[in-house]
Amino acid sequence: RTSGPLVEVAELTVRYGAATALDRVSLTVGVGELVALVGPNGAGKSTLVDTLSGILVPASGSVTVRGRLAHVPEGRQVFGDLSVEDNLRLGGWRIGERDTAAVYAVLPALTELRRRRAGLLSGGEQQMVAVGRALMSRPDVLVIDELSLGLAPLVVADLVRHLRELNAWRGVAVLLIEQNARLALDLCSRAYVLEAGRIVAEGTSAELAASSLVSDAYLGGV
Ligand code: ATP
């Protein structure tokens, strides 16, 4: 890894035909940082994730990833017929990693679920499997797409606790892509607000929570 942020998106523009989905978007995720990208439906969040993953090609600007990036996809997408253990192993397949012990060490709640069929787990447990599967590739940064989607607040709080531990113990950086601004600002130290393909606000979570733009639009005005 050369020096510089783990993820560096610079003046990124992405188009679908004539429609501009991302318009000169810039953001960074530093080593060990917890960063959120918040925005409503259609803001361009999935487009950014797909560009980070190399699925979409920029019209202009650039995406630089230094180190290993793993993606926790929206909707979890665990293999329902496979056990938790086998789901984890699939996550290590690309780098030839079969040893799941390191994942159980940071996500101990998965240990007792290891023989269970992933499709029969609760949504929160499946999200934990999806995070564990991503960790198998020993990433420097996790891109987590809609962590909280469809999950009860208590389940989300538990996942957030695990992500904090993961970050503190292993220094894994996180880019959290979220519609739930309250959760995003709670977990992350910095955040960007994306609207209609543009970054309309950025700053520390404390700054954004205090700004009327964010609080009125995303935190119900509190
Ligand atoms: P959501 O949370 O609903 O997934 P999002 O923030 O991820 O929203 P994107 O899916 O990135 O937003 O969409 C950004 C814009 O690009 C939207 O206006 C969307 O309609 C448009 N768009 C997305 N995919 C395509 C496509 N394949 N062809 C044309 N337009 C698209």
Side-chain angles (χ1 to χ4, degrees):
R1 214 176 58 74
T2 49
S3 62
L6 282 173
V7 176
E8 189 166 16
V9 173
E11 295 283 314
L12 176 68
T13 296
V14 179
R15 297 200 178 92
Y16 297 103
T20 300
L22 292 177
D23 186 6
R24 287 163 291 155
V25 166
S26 296
L27 64 82
T28 61
V29 181
V31 176
E33 251 198 319
L34 297 169
V35 176
L37 179 70
V38 177
N41 274 327
K45 303 185 300 299
S46 304
T47 302
L48 181 71
V49 171
D50 288 348
T51 311
L52 283 174
S53 308
I55 296 169
L56 291 173
V57 176
S60 62
S62 63
V63 167
T64 309
V65 179
R66 302 179 178 93
R68 221 192 297 263
L69 180 145
H71 182 204
V72 181
E74 181 175 345
R76 308 179 262 281
Q77 299 177 24
V78 299
F79 296 89
D81 292 337
L82 300 182
S83 69
V84 167
E85 175 84 10
D86 286 341
N87 268 276
L88 295 184
R89 289 216 173 108
L90 279 173
W93 177 76
R94 273 175 57 175
I95 64 162
E97 177 61 70
R98 291 181 58 80
D99 185 4
T100 51
V103 171
Y104 295 122
V106 282
L107 298 174
L110 284 181
T111 312
E112 57 207 65
L113 302 174
R114 65 200 297 167
R115 306 266 165 249
R116 303 261 297 274
R117 257 176 70 180
L120 301 179
L121 302 177
S122 71
E125 289 166 338
Q126 289 188 8
Q127 186 64 283
M128 194 99 72
V129 174
V131 171
R133 183 178 58 192
L135 289 176
M136 285 291 290
S137 67
R138 302 203 201 123
D140 301 293
V141 57
L142 277 181
V143 177
I144 305 181
D145 210 349
E146 304 288 359
L147 177 78
S148 70
L149 201 70
L151 300 179
L154 274 177
V155 174
V156 174
D158 193 45
L159 285 166
V160 164
R161 184 173 57 79
H162 280 98
L163 289 175
R164 281 213 179 91
E165 288 172 357
L166 186 66
N167 176 256
W169 297 350
R170 298 295 166 96
V172 177
V174 173
L175 176 60
L176 182 70
I177 316 277
E178 262 290 336
Q179 280 195 49
N180 181 339
R182 199 176 298 278
L183 158 71
L185 297 183
D186 177 39
L187 174 67
C188 297
S189 49
R190 284 198 306 120
Y192 298 84
V193 180
L194 186 68
E195 278 182 15
R198 294 195 176 149
I199 302 284
V200 295
E202 63 180 279
T204 66
S205 295
E207 284 164 358
L208 289 178
S211 88
S212 56
L213 181 145
V214 173
S215 115
D216 293 348
Y218 297 102
L219 300 174
V222 282

